[in-house]
Amino acid sequence: FQQQDRHWRFVDLPDSIPVVSNLPDCTHISLSHSKGFICFAISACPLGVDLEATEKKRDFAALAQVFMNEEEQACLRKNPSRQADYFYRVWSAKEACYKRLSSTQQTVRSLSQIRYSDLIDKNSQGYLYQGSIDGFVVAAMMADRPQQVNCHYYLMEAQRLREFRD
């Protein structure tokens, strides 16, 4: 969309996700936040993004029971030294996939029903992008592999952040 940061107008709504009030028609967005950072994706087709701060001191096995299927939980247990990496890759991929679904689809699908192996399969019904940035894992799920992905990240001090949002 080739727009400056300040072009986008974010509107905070009570008890709801933020809305971008000046989107072009037929535009899709996805937002995620973690530990003071925000991930904002914009596209001409439906997509979902997730951003997670990778904390090493969690009970990954207990948390995995909430959203991983049996096969994924077995993979998590196989390599204790890589548990955090696997946990966050699976979590962020499933969150991104779930966010890409329509609200109707979300009501009938749970995260444990989404199979990570299907998401990373080259023949799957979508394209999963995963990466990491300075202690965060990021995932984006789109219908097709995009021709181009532009990633920008930067820190904003509190005053500039307030000005950006106003």
Side-chain angles (χ1 to χ4, degrees), residues 98-136:
Y98 186 80
K99 289 177 178 181
R100 182 179 152 242
L101 299 174
S102 70
S103 57
T104 303
Q105 291 171 313
Q106 288 177 350
T107 62
V108 296
R109 192 120 188 240
S110 70
L111 289 180
S112 61
Q113 293 172 317
I114 298 169
R115 296 173 41 89
Y116 182 63
S117 58
D118 290 344
L119 299 179
I120 60 175
D121 182 356
K122 299 295 182 215
N123 299 316
S124 73
Q125 296 291 328
Y127 174 75
L128 174 66
Y129 168 84
Q130 288 188 291
S132 59
I133 303 170
D134 296 335
F136 290 84

PDB file of all heavy atoms in Angstrom, residues 98-136:
ATOM      1  N   TYR A  98      -5.934 -19.421  12.672  1.00  0.00           N
ATOM      2  CA  TYR A  98      -7.257 -19.180  13.251  1.00  0.00           C
ATOM      3  C   TYR A  98      -7.756 -17.768  12.922  1.00  0.00           C
ATOM      4  O   TYR A  98      -8.913 -17.572  12.546  1.00  0.00           O
ATOM      5  CB  TYR A  98      -7.194 -19.389  14.765  1.00  0.00           C
ATOM      6  CG  TYR A  98      -8.523 -19.299  15.453  1.00  0.00           C
ATOM      7  CD1 TYR A  98      -9.393 -20.383  15.446  1.00  0.00           C
ATOM      8  CD2 TYR A  98      -8.910 -18.148  16.120  1.00  0.00           C
ATOM      9  CE1 TYR A  98     -10.629 -20.313  16.085  1.00  0.00           C
ATOM     10  CE2 TYR A  98     -10.125 -18.058  16.759  1.00  0.00           C
ATOM     11  CZ  TYR A  98     -10.986 -19.153  16.739  1.00  0.00           C
ATOM     12  OH  TYR A  98     -12.197 -19.069  17.361  1.00  0.00           O
ATOM     13  N   LYS A  99      -6.866 -16.780  13.018  1.00  0.00           N
ATOM     14  CA  LYS A  99      -7.253 -15.400  12.730  1.00  0.00           C
ATOM     15  C   LYS A  99      -7.613 -15.203  11.258  1.00  0.00           C
ATOM     16  O   LYS A  99      -8.377 -14.308  10.926  1.00  0.00           O
ATOM     17  CB  LYS A  99      -6.132 -14.443  13.117  1.00  0.00           C
ATOM     18  CG  LYS A  99      -5.957 -14.309  14.612  1.00  0.00           C
ATOM     19  CD  LYS A  99      -4.786 -13.393  14.912  1.00  0.00           C
ATOM     20  CE  LYS A  99      -4.599 -13.194  16.397  1.00  0.00           C
ATOM     21  NZ  LYS A  99      -3.476 -12.281  16.677  1.00  0.00           N
ATOM     22  N   ARG A 100      -7.058 -16.026  10.391  1.00  0.00           N
ATOM     23  CA  ARG A 100      -7.372 -15.933   8.960  1.00  0.00           C
ATOM     24  C   ARG A 100      -8.781 -16.452   8.653  1.00  0.00           C
ATOM     25  O   ARG A 100      -9.395 -16.082   7.654  1.00  0.00           O
ATOM     26  CB  ARG A 100      -6.343 -16.738   8.160  1.00  0.00           C
ATOM     27  CG  ARG A 100      -6.578 -16.651   6.672  1.00  0.00           C
ATOM     28  CD  ARG A 100      -5.514 -17.438   5.917  1.00  0.00           C
ATOM     29  NE  ARG A 100      -6.091 -17.890   4.671  1.00  0.00           N
ATOM     30  CZ  ARG A 100      -6.249 -19.143   4.330  1.00  0.00           C
ATOM     31  NH1 ARG A 100      -5.851 -20.114   5.108  1.00  0.00           N
ATOM     32  NH2 ARG A 100      -6.801 -19.458   3.190  1.00  0.00           N
ATOM     33  N   LEU A 101      -9.310 -17.291   9.518  1.00  0.00           N
ATOM     34  CA  LEU A 101     -10.645 -17.851   9.317  1.00  0.00           C
ATOM     35  C   LEU A 101     -11.711 -16.770   9.473  1.00  0.00           C
ATOM     36  O   LEU A 101     -11.530 -15.802  10.210  1.00  0.00           O
ATOM     37  CB  LEU A 101     -10.917 -18.958  10.335  1.00  0.00           C
ATOM     38  CG  LEU A 101      -9.986 -20.169  10.312  1.00  0.00           C
ATOM     39  CD1 LEU A 101     -10.306 -21.092  11.493  1.00  0.00           C
ATOM     40  CD2 LEU A 101     -10.093 -20.910   8.993  1.00  0.00           C
ATOM     41  N   SER A 102     -12.840 -16.952   8.812  1.00  0.00           N
ATOM     42  CA  SER A 102     -13.972 -16.043   9.003  1.00  0.00           C
ATOM     43  C   SER A 102     -14.531 -16.251  10.411  1.00  0.00           C
ATOM     44  O   SER A 102     -14.282 -17.283  11.047  1.00  0.00           O
ATOM     45  CB  SER A 102     -15.057 -16.322   7.965  1.00  0.00           C
ATOM     46  OG  SER A 102     -15.666 -17.574   8.239  1.00  0.00           O
ATOM     47  N   SER A 103     -15.297 -15.301  10.902  1.00  0.00           N
ATOM     48  CA  SER A 103     -15.876 -15.439  12.243  1.00  0.00           C
ATOM     49  C   SER A 103     -16.778 -16.664  12.328  1.00  0.00           C
ATOM     50  O   SER A 103     -16.843 -17.320  13.364  1.00  0.00           O
ATOM     51  CB  SER A 103     -16.627 -14.172  12.641  1.00  0.00           C
ATOM     52  OG  SER A 103     -17.623 -13.868  11.691  1.00  0.00           O
ATOM     53  N   THR A 104     -17.465 -17.003  11.245  1.00  0.00           N
ATOM     54  CA  THR A 104     -18.303 -18.211  11.223  1.00  0.00           C
ATOM     55  C   THR A 104     -17.438 -19.458  11.371  1.00  0.00           C
ATOM     56  O   THR A 104     -17.762 -20.360  12.151  1.00  0.00           O
ATOM     57  CB  THR A 104     -19.107 -18.289   9.905  1.00  0.00           C
ATOM     58  OG1 THR A 104     -19.876 -17.101   9.773  1.00  0.00           O
ATOM     59  CG2 THR A 104     -20.014 -19.501   9.886  1.00  0.00           C
ATOM     60  N   GLN A 105     -16.339 -19.524  10.648  1.00  0.00           N
ATOM     61  CA  GLN A 105     -15.438 -20.673  10.742  1.00  0.00           C
ATOM     62  C   GLN A 105     -14.808 -20.778  12.130  1.00  0.00           C
ATOM     63  O   GLN A 105     -14.597 -21.869  12.646  1.00  0.00           O
ATOM     64  CB  GLN A 105     -14.331 -20.580   9.686  1.00  0.00           C
ATOM     65  CG  GLN A 105     -14.834 -20.757   8.267  1.00  0.00           C
ATOM     66  CD  GLN A 105     -13.748 -20.428   7.245  1.00  0.00           C
ATOM     67  OE1 GLN A 105     -13.065 -19.408   7.346  1.00  0.00           O
ATOM     68  NE2 GLN A 105     -13.601 -21.305   6.260  1.00  0.00           N
ATOM     69  N   GLN A 106     -14.524 -19.636  12.747  1.00  0.00           N
ATOM     70  CA  GLN A 106     -13.919 -19.643  14.075  1.00  0.00           C
ATOM     71  C   GLN A 106     -14.844 -20.246  15.129  1.00  0.00           C
ATOM     72  O   GLN A 106     -14.378 -20.850  16.081  1.00  0.00           O
ATOM     73  CB  GLN A 106     -13.519 -18.224  14.493  1.00  0.00           C
ATOM     74  CG  GLN A 106     -12.324 -17.697  13.756  1.00  0.00           C
ATOM     75  CD  GLN A 106     -11.991 -16.270  14.132  1.00  0.00           C
ATOM     76  OE1 GLN A 106     -12.763 -15.583  14.818  1.00  0.00           O
ATOM     77  NE2 GLN A 106     -10.842 -15.795  13.686  1.00  0.00           N
ATOM     78  N   THR A 107     -16.148 -20.103  14.944  1.00  0.00           N
ATOM     79  CA  THR A 107     -17.088 -20.628  15.943  1.00  0.00           C
ATOM     80  C   THR A 107     -17.140 -22.148  15.953  1.00  0.00           C
ATOM     81  O   THR A 107     -17.571 -22.739  16.938  1.00  0.00           O
ATOM     82  CB  THR A 107     -18.520 -20.077  15.732  1.00  0.00           C
ATOM     83  OG1 THR A 107     -18.987 -20.490  14.450  1.00  0.00           O
ATOM     84  CG2 THR A 107     -18.556 -18.574  15.867  1.00  0.00           C
ATOM     85  N   VAL A 108     -16.724 -22.793  14.861  1.00  0.00           N
ATOM     86  CA  VAL A 108     -16.802 -24.251  14.784  1.00  0.00           C
ATOM     87  C   VAL A 108     -15.432 -24.928  14.762  1.00  0.00           C
ATOM     88  O   VAL A 108     -15.352 -26.144  14.596  1.00  0.00           O
ATOM     89  CB  VAL A 108     -17.616 -24.705  13.543  1.00  0.00           C
ATOM     90  CG1 VAL A 108     -19.055 -24.234  13.653  1.00  0.00           C
ATOM     91  CG2 VAL A 108     -16.977 -24.226  12.255  1.00  0.00           C
ATOM     92  N   ARG A 109     -14.364 -24.163  14.945  1.00  0.00           N
ATOM     93  CA  ARG A 109     -13.014 -24.731  14.877  1.00  0.00           C
ATOM     94  C   ARG A 109     -12.209 -24.308  16.092  1.00  0.00           C
ATOM     95  O   ARG A 109     -12.226 -23.153  16.484  1.00  0.00           O
ATOM     96  CB  ARG A 109     -12.325 -24.224  13.611  1.00  0.00           C
ATOM     97  CG  ARG A 109     -11.061 -24.928  13.267  1.00  0.00           C
ATOM     98  CD  ARG A 109     -11.199 -25.567  11.891  1.00  0.00           C
ATOM     99  NE  ARG A 109     -10.073 -26.405  11.592  1.00  0.00           N
ATOM    100  CZ  ARG A 109      -9.264 -26.216  10.574  1.00  0.00           C
ATOM    101  NH1 ARG A 109      -9.479 -25.224   9.732  1.00  0.00           N
ATOM    102  NH2 ARG A 109      -8.274 -27.038  10.362  1.00  0.00           N
ATOM    103  N   SER A 110     -11.491 -25.237  16.694  1.00  0.00           N
ATOM    104  CA  SER A 110     -10.620 -24.914  17.828  1.00  0.00           C
ATOM    105  C   SER A 110      -9.158 -25.021  17.387  1.00  0.00           C
ATOM    106  O   SER A 110      -8.854 -25.627  16.359  1.00  0.00           O
ATOM    107  CB  SER A 110     -10.881 -25.885  18.987  1.00  0.00           C
ATOM    108  OG  SER A 110     -10.401 -27.170  18.651  1.00  0.00           O
ATOM    109  N   LEU A 111      -8.286 -24.447  18.184  1.00  0.00           N
ATOM    110  CA  LEU A 111      -6.862 -24.508  17.850  1.00  0.00           C
ATOM    111  C   LEU A 111      -6.346 -25.938  17.815  1.00  0.00           C
ATOM    112  O   LEU A 111      -5.483 -26.279  17.005  1.00  0.00           O
ATOM    113  CB  LEU A 111      -6.042 -23.688  18.841  1.00  0.00           C
ATOM    114  CG  LEU A 111      -6.180 -22.173  18.745  1.00  0.00           C
ATOM    115  CD1 LEU A 111      -5.306 -21.490  19.782  1.00  0.00           C
ATOM    116  CD2 LEU A 111      -5.835 -21.666  17.364  1.00  0.00           C
ATOM    117  N   SER A 112      -6.867 -26.797  18.679  1.00  0.00           N
ATOM    118  CA  SER A 112      -6.386 -28.187  18.688  1.00  0.00           C
ATOM    119  C   SER A 112      -6.802 -28.942  17.423  1.00  0.00           C
ATOM    120  O   SER A 112      -6.178 -29.942  17.062  1.00  0.00           O
ATOM    121  CB  SER A 112      -6.862 -28.924  19.940  1.00  0.00           C
ATOM    122  OG  SER A 112      -8.267 -28.955  19.984  1.00  0.00           O
ATOM    123  N   GLN A 113      -7.821 -28.462  16.724  1.00  0.00           N
ATOM    124  CA  GLN A 113      -8.231 -29.088  15.465  1.00  0.00           C
ATOM    125  C   GLN A 113      -7.362 -28.657  14.286  1.00  0.00           C
ATOM    126  O   GLN A 113      -7.383 -29.288  13.241  1.00  0.00           O
ATOM    127  CB  GLN A 113      -9.691 -28.749  15.160  1.00  0.00           C
ATOM    128  CG  GLN A 113     -10.667 -29.372  16.128  1.00  0.00           C
ATOM    129  CD  GLN A 113     -12.074 -28.858  15.897  1.00  0.00           C
ATOM    130  OE1 GLN A 113     -12.290 -27.663  15.690  1.00  0.00           O
ATOM    131  NE2 GLN A 113     -13.040 -29.760  15.946  1.00  0.00           N
ATOM    132  N   ILE A 114      -6.629 -27.588  14.452  1.00  0.00           N
ATOM    133  CA  ILE A 114      -5.713 -27.131  13.408  1.00  0.00           C
ATOM    134  C   ILE A 114      -4.417 -27.909  13.572  1.00  0.00           C
ATOM    135  O   ILE A 114      -3.817 -27.906  14.649  1.00  0.00           O
ATOM    136  CB  ILE A 114      -5.461 -25.608  13.521  1.00  0.00           C
ATOM    137  CG1 ILE A 114      -6.762 -24.836  13.329  1.00  0.00           C
ATOM    138  CG2 ILE A 114      -4.394 -25.155  12.526  1.00  0.00           C
ATOM    139  CD1 ILE A 114      -6.669 -23.354  13.671  1.00  0.00           C
ATOM    140  N   ARG A 115      -3.991 -28.587  12.531  1.00  0.00           N
ATOM    141  CA  ARG A 115      -2.779 -29.419  12.608  1.00  0.00           C
ATOM    142  C   ARG A 115      -1.571 -28.641  12.075  1.00  0.00           C
ATOM    143  O   ARG A 115      -1.558 -28.228  10.920  1.00  0.00           O
ATOM    144  CB  ARG A 115      -2.977 -30.704  11.815  1.00  0.00           C
ATOM    145  CG  ARG A 115      -4.082 -31.601  12.374  1.00  0.00           C
ATOM    146  CD  ARG A 115      -4.393 -32.793  11.470  1.00  0.00           C
ATOM    147  NE  ARG A 115      -3.219 -33.411  10.900  1.00  0.00           N
ATOM    148  CZ  ARG A 115      -2.514 -34.409  11.475  1.00  0.00           C
ATOM    149  NH1 ARG A 115      -2.919 -34.897  12.623  1.00  0.00           N
ATOM    150  NH2 ARG A 115      -1.452 -34.915  10.872  1.00  0.00           N
ATOM    151  N   TYR A 116      -0.568 -28.506  12.947  1.00  0.00           N
ATOM    152  CA  TYR A 116       0.640 -27.789  12.565  1.00  0.00           C
ATOM    153  C   TYR A 116       1.311 -28.446  11.356  1.00  0.00           C
ATOM    154  O   TYR A 116       1.781 -27.750  10.453  1.00  0.00           O
ATOM    155  CB  TYR A 116       1.609 -27.719  13.751  1.00  0.00           C
ATOM    156  CG  TYR A 116       2.876 -26.958  13.467  1.00  0.00           C
ATOM    157  CD1 TYR A 116       2.847 -25.603  13.156  1.00  0.00           C
ATOM    158  CD2 TYR A 116       4.119 -27.587  13.518  1.00  0.00           C
ATOM    159  CE1 TYR A 116       4.008 -24.896  12.901  1.00  0.00           C
ATOM    160  CE2 TYR A 116       5.280 -26.886  13.265  1.00  0.00           C
ATOM    161  CZ  TYR A 116       5.226 -25.542  12.960  1.00  0.00           C
ATOM    162  OH  TYR A 116       6.387 -24.847  12.704  1.00  0.00           O
ATOM    163  N   SER A 117       1.309 -29.769  11.314  1.00  0.00           N
ATOM    164  CA  SER A 117       1.924 -30.473  10.179  1.00  0.00           C
ATOM    165  C   SER A 117       1.232 -30.101   8.867  1.00  0.00           C
ATOM    166  O   SER A 117       1.877 -30.018   7.819  1.00  0.00           O
ATOM    167  CB  SER A 117       1.906 -31.989  10.399  1.00  0.00           C
ATOM    168  OG  SER A 117       0.584 -32.450  10.580  1.00  0.00           O
ATOM    169  N   ASP A 118      -0.067 -29.851   8.901  1.00  0.00           N
ATOM    170  CA  ASP A 118      -0.782 -29.420   7.695  1.00  0.00           C
ATOM    171  C   ASP A 118      -0.383 -27.995   7.298  1.00  0.00           C
ATOM    172  O   ASP A 118      -0.304 -27.671   6.115  1.00  0.00           O
ATOM    173  CB  ASP A 118      -2.300 -29.465   7.902  1.00  0.00           C
ATOM    174  CG  ASP A 118      -2.834 -30.888   8.003  1.00  0.00           C
ATOM    175  OD1 ASP A 118      -2.110 -31.837   7.623  1.00  0.00           O
ATOM    176  OD2 ASP A 118      -3.974 -31.034   8.488  1.00  0.00           O
ATOM    177  N   LEU A 119      -0.140 -27.152   8.284  1.00  0.00           N
ATOM    178  CA  LEU A 119       0.206 -25.753   8.003  1.00  0.00           C
ATOM    179  C   LEU A 119       1.578 -25.625   7.345  1.00  0.00           C
ATOM    180  O   LEU A 119       1.778 -24.752   6.505  1.00  0.00           O
ATOM    181  CB  LEU A 119       0.172 -24.914   9.283  1.00  0.00           C
ATOM    182  CG  LEU A 119      -1.167 -24.824  10.005  1.00  0.00           C
ATOM    183  CD1 LEU A 119      -1.027 -23.988  11.267  1.00  0.00           C
ATOM    184  CD2 LEU A 119      -2.238 -24.259   9.094  1.00  0.00           C
ATOM    185  N   ILE A 120       2.513 -26.485   7.725  1.00  0.00           N
ATOM    186  CA  ILE A 120       3.866 -26.389   7.162  1.00  0.00           C
ATOM    187  C   ILE A 120       4.037 -27.246   5.914  1.00  0.00           C
ATOM    188  O   ILE A 120       5.059 -27.172   5.249  1.00  0.00           O
ATOM    189  CB  ILE A 120       4.951 -26.737   8.205  1.00  0.00           C
ATOM    190  CG1 ILE A 120       4.787 -28.154   8.740  1.00  0.00           C
ATOM    191  CG2 ILE A 120       4.940 -25.716   9.328  1.00  0.00           C
ATOM    192  CD1 ILE A 120       5.890 -28.603   9.680  1.00  0.00           C
ATOM    193  N   ASP A 121       3.017 -28.022   5.570  1.00  0.00           N
ATOM    194  CA  ASP A 121       3.046 -28.849   4.366  1.00  0.00           C
ATOM    195  C   ASP A 121       2.983 -27.956   3.132  1.00  0.00           C
ATOM    196  O   ASP A 121       2.127 -27.086   3.025  1.00  0.00           O
ATOM    197  CB  ASP A 121       1.854 -29.812   4.378  1.00  0.00           C
ATOM    198  CG  ASP A 121       1.807 -30.752   3.196  1.00  0.00           C
ATOM    199  OD1 ASP A 121       2.658 -30.636   2.284  1.00  0.00           O
ATOM    200  OD2 ASP A 121       0.918 -31.615   3.177  1.00  0.00           O
ATOM    201  N   LYS A 122       3.892 -28.172   2.206  1.00  0.00           N
ATOM    202  CA  LYS A 122       3.950 -27.343   0.987  1.00  0.00           C
ATOM    203  C   LYS A 122       2.687 -27.482   0.129  1.00  0.00           C
ATOM    204  O   LYS A 122       2.388 -26.630  -0.683  1.00  0.00           O
ATOM    205  CB  LYS A 122       5.173 -27.717   0.139  1.00  0.00           C
ATOM    206  CG  LYS A 122       6.484 -27.511   0.858  1.00  0.00           C
ATOM    207  CD  LYS A 122       6.718 -26.049   1.158  1.00  0.00           C
ATOM    208  CE  LYS A 122       8.060 -25.852   1.828  1.00  0.00           C
ATOM    209  NZ  LYS A 122       8.092 -24.821   2.793  1.00  0.00           N
ATOM    210  N   ASN A 123       1.938 -28.546   0.304  1.00  0.00           N
ATOM    211  CA  ASN A 123       0.709 -28.765  -0.469  1.00  0.00           C
ATOM    212  C   ASN A 123      -0.544 -28.347   0.297  1.00  0.00           C
ATOM    213  O   ASN A 123      -1.647 -28.719  -0.068  1.00  0.00           O
ATOM    214  CB  ASN A 123       0.596 -30.240  -0.868  1.00  0.00           C
ATOM    215  CG  ASN A 123       1.748 -30.662  -1.740  1.00  0.00           C
ATOM    216  OD1 ASN A 123       2.136 -29.955  -2.654  1.00  0.00           O
ATOM    217  ND2 ASN A 123       2.328 -31.809  -1.439  1.00  0.00           N
ATOM    218  N   SER A 124      -0.365 -27.593   1.362  1.00  0.00           N
ATOM    219  CA  SER A 124      -1.510 -27.236   2.197  1.00  0.00           C
ATOM    220  C   SER A 124      -2.384 -26.171   1.531  1.00  0.00           C
ATOM    221  O   SER A 124      -2.039 -25.614   0.502  1.00  0.00           O
ATOM    222  CB  SER A 124      -1.031 -26.729   3.560  1.00  0.00           C
ATOM    223  OG  SER A 124      -0.482 -25.444   3.437  1.00  0.00           O
ATOM    224  N   GLN A 125      -3.492 -25.885   2.171  1.00  0.00           N
ATOM    225  CA  GLN A 125      -4.456 -24.894   1.678  1.00  0.00           C
ATOM    226  C   GLN A 125      -4.109 -23.504   2.172  1.00  0.00           C
ATOM    227  O   GLN A 125      -4.934 -22.796   2.712  1.00  0.00           O
ATOM    228  CB  GLN A 125      -5.865 -25.273   2.158  1.00  0.00           C
ATOM    229  CG  GLN A 125      -6.367 -26.574   1.622  1.00  0.00           C
ATOM    230  CD  GLN A 125      -6.647 -26.474   0.130  1.00  0.00           C
ATOM    231  OE1 GLN A 125      -7.027 -25.439  -0.377  1.00  0.00           O
ATOM    232  NE2 GLN A 125      -6.441 -27.570  -0.568  1.00  0.00           N
ATOM    233  N   GLY A 126      -2.884 -23.108   2.016  1.00  0.00           N
ATOM    234  CA  GLY A 126      -2.465 -21.789   2.456  1.00  0.00           C
ATOM    235  C   GLY A 126      -0.960 -21.702   2.535  1.00  0.00           C
ATOM    236  O   GLY A 126      -0.242 -22.678   2.331  1.00  0.00           O
ATOM    237  N   TYR A 127      -0.484 -20.520   2.838  1.00  0.00           N
ATOM    238  CA  TYR A 127       0.947 -20.275   2.938  1.00  0.00           C
ATOM    239  C   TYR A 127       1.250 -19.738   4.330  1.00  0.00           C
ATOM    240  O   TYR A 127       0.666 -18.739   4.760  1.00  0.00           O
ATOM    241  CB  TYR A 127       1.390 -19.268   1.870  1.00  0.00           C
ATOM    242  CG  TYR A 127       2.835 -18.874   2.009  1.00  0.00           C
ATOM    243  CD1 TYR A 127       3.851 -19.740   1.619  1.00  0.00           C
ATOM    244  CD2 TYR A 127       3.180 -17.648   2.553  1.00  0.00           C
ATOM    245  CE1 TYR A 127       5.175 -19.391   1.763  1.00  0.00           C
ATOM    246  CE2 TYR A 127       4.513 -17.283   2.700  1.00  0.00           C
ATOM    247  CZ  TYR A 127       5.498 -18.161   2.310  1.00  0.00           C
ATOM    248  OH  TYR A 127       6.818 -17.809   2.459  1.00  0.00           O
ATOM    249  N   LEU A 128       2.147 -20.413   5.025  1.00  0.00           N
ATOM    250  CA  LEU A 128       2.549 -20.004   6.362  1.00  0.00           C
ATOM    251  C   LEU A 128       3.943 -19.396   6.306  1.00  0.00           C
ATOM    252  O   LEU A 128       4.877 -20.012   5.815  1.00  0.00           O
ATOM    253  CB  LEU A 128       2.557 -21.209   7.313  1.00  0.00           C
ATOM    254  CG  LEU A 128       3.097 -20.954   8.721  1.00  0.00           C
ATOM    255  CD1 LEU A 128       2.185 -19.994   9.488  1.00  0.00           C
ATOM    256  CD2 LEU A 128       3.252 -22.274   9.465  1.00  0.00           C
ATOM    257  N   TYR A 129       4.061 -18.177   6.814  1.00  0.00           N
ATOM    258  CA  TYR A 129       5.355 -17.520   6.977  1.00  0.00           C
ATOM    259  C   TYR A 129       5.652 -17.495   8.463  1.00  0.00           C
ATOM    260  O   TYR A 129       4.803 -17.093   9.268  1.00  0.00           O
ATOM    261  CB  TYR A 129       5.303 -16.085   6.438  1.00  0.00           C
ATOM    262  CG  TYR A 129       6.504 -15.274   6.847  1.00  0.00           C
ATOM    263  CD1 TYR A 129       7.683 -15.331   6.116  1.00  0.00           C
ATOM    264  CD2 TYR A 129       6.463 -14.466   7.982  1.00  0.00           C
ATOM    265  CE1 TYR A 129       8.800 -14.606   6.506  1.00  0.00           C
ATOM    266  CE2 TYR A 129       7.570 -13.730   8.372  1.00  0.00           C
ATOM    267  CZ  TYR A 129       8.734 -13.804   7.638  1.00  0.00           C
ATOM    268  OH  TYR A 129       9.834 -13.093   8.025  1.00  0.00           O
ATOM    269  N   GLN A 130       6.845 -17.970   8.861  1.00  0.00           N
ATOM    270  CA  GLN A 130       7.248 -17.914  10.261  1.00  0.00           C
ATOM    271  C   GLN A 130       8.648 -17.340  10.363  1.00  0.00           C
ATOM    272  O   GLN A 130       9.491 -17.583   9.496  1.00  0.00           O
ATOM    273  CB  GLN A 130       7.248 -19.306  10.899  1.00  0.00           C
ATOM    274  CG  GLN A 130       5.861 -19.855  11.126  1.00  0.00           C
ATOM    275  CD  GLN A 130       5.889 -21.130  11.933  1.00  0.00           C
ATOM    276  OE1 GLN A 130       6.346 -22.154  11.453  1.00  0.00           O
ATOM    277  NE2 GLN A 130       5.389 -21.068  13.150  1.00  0.00           N
ATOM    278  N   GLY A 131       8.886 -16.595  11.411  1.00  0.00           N
ATOM    279  CA  GLY A 131      10.204 -16.045  11.647  1.00  0.00           C
ATOM    280  C   GLY A 131      10.340 -15.605  13.089  1.00  0.00           C
ATOM    281  O   GLY A 131       9.438 -15.787  13.901  1.00  0.00           O
ATOM    282  N   SER A 132      11.490 -15.040  13.393  1.00  0.00           N
ATOM    283  CA  SER A 132      11.716 -14.527  14.741  1.00  0.00           C
ATOM    284  C   SER A 132      12.442 -13.194  14.647  1.00  0.00           C
ATOM    285  O   SER A 132      13.225 -12.962  13.724  1.00  0.00           O
ATOM    286  CB  SER A 132      12.509 -15.525  15.587  1.00  0.00           C
ATOM    287  OG  SER A 132      13.751 -15.797  14.977  1.00  0.00           O
ATOM    288  N   ILE A 133      12.136 -12.341  15.610  1.00  0.00           N
ATOM    289  CA  ILE A 133      12.728 -11.007  15.687  1.00  0.00           C
ATOM    290  C   ILE A 133      12.999 -10.704  17.156  1.00  0.00           C
ATOM    291  O   ILE A 133      12.057 -10.586  17.946  1.00  0.00           O
ATOM    292  CB  ILE A 133      11.779  -9.920  15.119  1.00  0.00           C
ATOM    293  CG1 ILE A 133      11.378 -10.223  13.686  1.00  0.00           C
ATOM    294  CG2 ILE A 133      12.413  -8.544  15.221  1.00  0.00           C
ATOM    295  CD1 ILE A 133      10.262  -9.326  13.163  1.00  0.00           C
ATOM    296  N   ASP A 134      14.257 -10.625  17.527  1.00  0.00           N
ATOM    297  CA  ASP A 134      14.662 -10.173  18.865  1.00  0.00           C
ATOM    298  C   ASP A 134      13.808 -10.722  20.012  1.00  0.00           C
ATOM    299  O   ASP A 134      13.185  -9.960  20.754  1.00  0.00           O
ATOM    300  CB  ASP A 134      14.654  -8.644  18.930  1.00  0.00           C
ATOM    301  CG  ASP A 134      15.667  -8.018  17.989  1.00  0.00           C
ATOM    302  OD1 ASP A 134      16.667  -8.682  17.658  1.00  0.00           O
ATOM    303  OD2 ASP A 134      15.463  -6.863  17.586  1.00  0.00           O
ATOM    304  N   GLY A 135      13.728 -12.035  20.173  1.00  0.00           N
ATOM    305  CA  GLY A 135      12.990 -12.624  21.285  1.00  0.00           C
ATOM    306  C   GLY A 135      11.499 -12.755  21.062  1.00  0.00           C
ATOM    307  O   GLY A 135      10.758 -13.045  21.991  1.00  0.00           O
ATOM    308  N   PHE A 136      11.049 -12.569  19.842  1.00  0.00           N
ATOM    309  CA  PHE A 136       9.641 -12.731  19.489  1.00  0.00           C
ATOM    310  C   PHE A 136       9.545 -13.707  18.319  1.00  0.00           C
ATOM    311  O   PHE A 136      10.409 -13.734  17.448  1.00  0.00           O
ATOM    312  CB  PHE A 136       9.016 -11.400  19.049  1.00  0.00           C
ATOM    313  CG  PHE A 136       8.846 -10.418  20.158  1.00  0.00           C
ATOM    314  CD1 PHE A 136       9.901  -9.609  20.543  1.00  0.00           C
ATOM    315  CD2 PHE A 136       7.639 -10.302  20.820  1.00  0.00           C
ATOM    316  CE1 PHE A 136       9.754  -8.691  21.572  1.00  0.00           C
ATOM    317  CE2 PHE A 136       7.480  -9.389  21.843  1.00  0.00           C
ATOM    318  CZ  PHE A 136       8.547  -8.589  22.222  1.00  0.00           C
TER     319      PHE A 136
END
